[in-house]
Amino acid sequence: DQQVKQNSPSLSVQEGRISILNCDYTNSMFDYFLWYKKYPAEGPTFLISISSIKDKNEDGRFTVFLNKSAKHLSLHIVPSQPGDSAVYFCAASAQGYSGAGSYQLTFGKGTKLSVIP
Amino acid sequence: EADIYQTPRYLVIGTGKKITLECSQTMGHDKMYWYQQDPGMELHLIHYSYGVNSTEKGDLSSESTVSRIRTEHFPLTLESARPSHTSQYLCASSGNRGLGSPLHFGNGTRLTVT
């Protein structure tokens, strides 16, 4: 049972426009969400995160929105640049709950973003 | 620049061989992890460690084993490789700031078992 879902395997966007990547989750215990970016032949790199006590977090061109009632989050990239072309993974954890599993991340399958010059 | 190093980057090996995938980090992180990823699929946690001499299995069953004798080193071993072990293996570490400690990943080892 997939607890973190990224239903769009790929997305193409023109350079300069907004990219919106979506993520849905089913586990109501999740209280911390992260986005990672992955280039081919490299490991994922941390991009931005949000705690469940917030509904928005912004870092430069990247903004993450969280809708807890809908169990949905999205990553907005504006303006999109060709260097943003990568696979983006949504991840979640239940860090508010103590125990050995509190730092584990559950990942989605990723969305491949292509920014066209 | 990566502060967590994995070797080898690519490995092609025959069935039945014993292999060890190396992972080292220079950040002094207590927590280290091994994830497995097949193409187009999510990353699955197979092992984690919260410190020296502490290892636990993750949510994806794996025939591999790990050890944590030193803080900076978290090798993964397969005693007898099989084609079903073909995958990408990603090592990660995280600091001790709780919610403020995202995972730092190495560049992975792509393993092919023939």
Side-chain angles (χ1 to χ4, degrees), chain B:
Chain B
E1 187 174 349
D3 294 311
I4 181 163
Y5 306 96
Q6 291 187 244
T7 57
R9 290 293 307 275
Y10 303 93
L11 179 61
V12 180
I13 201 162
T15 297
K17 299 291 186 182
K18 177 179 179 179
I19 59 170
T20 296
L21 307 184
E22 301 288 348
C23 176
S24 295
Q25 49 97 3
T26 59
M27 297 171 282
H29 287 166
D30 285 334
K31 301 176 187 64
M32 295 190 74
Y33 314 80
W34 277 101
Y35 282 84
Q36 183 176 341
Q37 187 200 13
D38 294 322
M41 301 297 288
E42 58 268 54
L43 284 72
H44 286 289
L45 181 69
I46 52 175
H47 297 283
Y48 61 94
S49 167
Y50 285 169
V52 171
N53 294 325
S54 152
T55 62
E56 299 287 344
K57 287 190 177 292
D59 49 41
L60 181 68
S61 175
S62 174
E63 295 168 340
S64 58
T65 59
V66 292
S67 62
R68 190 88 183 275
I69 299 172
R70 304 197 316 264
T71 297
E72 62 271 21
H73 195 212
F74 192 39
L76 180 145
T77 298
L78 275 165
E79 290 292 332
S80 179
R82 295 209 301 260
S84 60
H85 296 139
T86 295
S87 189
Q88 184 177 40
Y89 293 84
L90 291 158
C91 181
S93 70
S94 65
N96 305 318
R97 291 192 295 137
L99 288 177
S101 299
L103 301 186
H104 296 264
F105 283 89
N107 284 332
T109 294
R110 185 163 294 282
L111 173 66
T112 302
V113 183
T114 60

